[in-house]
Amino acid sequence: MSEAVERTRSARMAEIRSAALELFTQLGYPATTMADIGAAVGMKGPSLYKHVASKQDLLVDIMTSTMTDLLDAHQAAVATANHPAERLRRATEAHVRYHTRHRLEAFVGNRELRSLVEPHRSHVLSLRADYEVGFRRLVADGVDSGHFQVTSTRLASYAILDLGMGVSSWYRDDGDLSEDAVVWQYGELALRIVGLCPGASAGTVVTPPGP
Amino acid sequence: MSEAVERTRSARMAEIRSAALELFTQLGYPATTMADIGAAVGMKGPSLYKHVASKQDLLVDIMTSTMTDLLDAHQAAVATANHPAERLRRATEAHVRYHTRHRLEAFVGNRELRSLVEPHRSHVLSLRADYEVGFRRLVADGVDSGHFQVTSTRLASYAILDLGMGVSSWYRDDGDLSEDAVVWQYGELALRIVGLCPGASAGTVVTPPGP
DNA sequence: TCCTTCGGCTAATGGTTATTAGCCAAAAGG
DNA sequence: CCTTTTGGCTAATAACCATTAGCCGAAGGA
């Protein structure tokens, strides 16, 4: 088998994955048929089985890779700063940036957990729990060191996480809010949520970078 | 037909609705079968048709009544105050309170829009749009009158709405955060999001009412 | 007491769907 | 050039499911 063939083969696989992702987003996993996915890539339903093992496999693939990507982005972001506020800001920015760049993955990842069959559901749930713990720890660190003012660490971290998830519902690439604008503003909102009011004490409105 | 019979008749209907709501939440609408709903109320699937017209009808009922309840709660809350900050706080409190008291309705309302068949989907979507406009206007009023500091009205109102929706994902009646505690704190968070930092300037942690 | 309605049941019906089986053209590769 | 693999197809399999049809016991009103 030539290398070129190998390339088109994996390209076809990616095409199928991407079509499945779009359809799962629009119709939901149960309502999406193999025939739908096939039609989206120009083949009949049964032909898909030459490329993927099952419909469930497509979902498992999408959901686990989404969670590991998100965890990786979080670790990388947190490692770039030391001050609690800056660490929280960067983690939030990474969180929101992921949700703008991978809207569909995040959307499906949040909505189709119950379509996942065991043991995959438990696996994804544990990855998600790890991710939540990461944020809770960031908030707790800021509280312990006296930088943040929150009534409940758990509630504040839920709030920040939920903001990002919301982004995957309404963000559009061609909307009038650019990715950078959303990322920057949500970074600021996270700090406001934990009781820091950047710019507020100066009495001026802080302006975001670029358009 | 006696009045007692009439009472048990509508009680049975409510029982079915409530069982459907719970199942739709856990399994999702497409994955929930009429047999499942029947089993939950102690009868076989086909017997349900003596009480409801169809599975879709159950969903339509749940989703439209949820949206109208939410709109009513919003109108009522906004009417109780004049100052922009207080109006936003009360609207947020009503929003969050609804999402704690009607967790399942809100959860299904957000996740099963695509299971709704036309024209019901459009109807619910327009109710939801009205609701979003209400919040956007509250934020805009605060900005126009110089009380709020936000970079984007749209983004700030999305953020506040998303917080409430998140509540319906993680709130539990028997959790360690009481309804009042969550409601109060999210009211504060909404104000922080629009640039007000209640209590922050005093340098002390604000305490919520009761446990 | 009679008879009507209520509210349950079981047994179709008709449709949909993931997945498998088996066929075949064309490309790869020696 | 022959042979094998690839990747498509159609047809069959084996569910599953919403909904309808038709039956029947029991309760309730007259």
Side-chain angles (χ1 to χ4, degrees), chain B residues 50-125:
Chain B
K50 300 283 176 170
H51 302 275
V52 303
S54 70
K55 184 182 158 186
Q56 175 77 206
D57 252 35
L58 278 168
L59 185 64
V60 171
D61 241 42
I62 289 170
M63 296 195 63
T64 58
S65 69
T66 294
M67 275 315 301
T68 56
D69 286 356
L70 203 47
L71 274 164
D72 289 349
H74 178 82
Q75 315 285 12
V78 165
T80 61
N82 285 309
H83 190 278
E86 197 51 30
R87 279 158 68 86
L88 179 63
R89 182 207 294 274
R90 297 207 185 164
T92 303
E93 287 181 350
H95 180 63
V96 171
R97 197 174 292 282
Y98 185 89
H99 282 74
T100 59
R101 290 212 184 149
H102 302 93
R103 255 188 67 228
L104 306 188
E105 284 90 337
F107 191 82
V108 170
N110 281 324
R111 279 181 143 77
E112 298 294 355
L113 258 172
R114 57 192 175 194
S115 300
L116 224 41
V117 125
E118 292 294 355
H120 308 292
R121 174 163 44 212
S122 297
H123 181 220
V124 172
L125 276 173

Side-chain angles (χ1 to χ4, degrees), chain B residues 10 32 69 85 146 166:
Chain B
S10 69
T32 300
D69 286 356

Side-chain angles (χ1 to χ4, degrees), chain A residues 24-25 28 110-112 114 149 151-152 154-155 158-159 162-163 166 170 177 185-186 192-193 195 197 205, chain B residues 24-25 28 110-112 114 149 151-152 154-155 158-159 162-163 166 170 177 185-186 192-193 195 197 205:
Chain A
F24 290 166
T25 306
N110 280 325
R111 278 181 143 76
E112 298 295 353
R114 54 193 177 194
Q149 309 269 324
T151 309
S152 161
R154 190 156 75 88
L155 192 137
Y158 274 146
D162 287 341
L163 287 191
W170 55 260
L177 287 164
Q185 287 182 63
Y186 270 40
R192 287 183 178 186
I193 284 174
C197 282
V205 178
Chain B
F24 291 166
T25 306
N110 281 324
R111 279 181 143 77
E112 298 294 355
R114 57 192 175 194
Q149 310 269 323
T151 309
S152 161
R154 191 158 72 89
L155 193 137
Y158 274 147
D162 287 341
L163 287 190
W170 56 258
L177 288 163
Q185 287 183 63
Y186 270 41
R192 287 183 178 188
I193 283 174
C197 281
V205 178

Side-chain angles (χ1 to χ4, degrees), chain A residues 47-124:
Chain A
S47 303
L48 289 170
Y49 289 86
K50 300 282 176 170
H51 302 277
V52 304
S54 71
K55 183 181 159 186
Q56 173 78 205
D57 252 36
L58 277 169
L59 184 65
V60 170
D61 241 43
I62 288 168
M63 297 195 63
T64 59
S65 70
T66 294
M67 275 316 300
T68 58
D69 286 356
L70 203 46
L71 275 164
D72 288 350
H74 178 81
Q75 315 285 12
V78 165
T80 61
N82 285 309
H83 189 280
E86 197 52 31
R87 280 158 67 86
L88 179 63
R89 181 206 295 274
R90 298 205 183 165
T92 303
E93 288 181 349
H95 181 62
V96 172
R97 196 174 291 281
Y98 186 89
H99 281 75
T100 59
R101 292 215 181 146
H102 301 92
R103 256 188 67 229
L104 307 188
E105 284 90 337
F107 192 82
V108 170
N110 280 325
R111 278 181 143 76
E112 298 295 353
L113 257 171
R114 54 193 177 194
S115 300
L116 225 39
V117 123
E118 292 295 357
H120 307 292
R121 172 159 48 210
S122 296
H123 180 219
V124 172

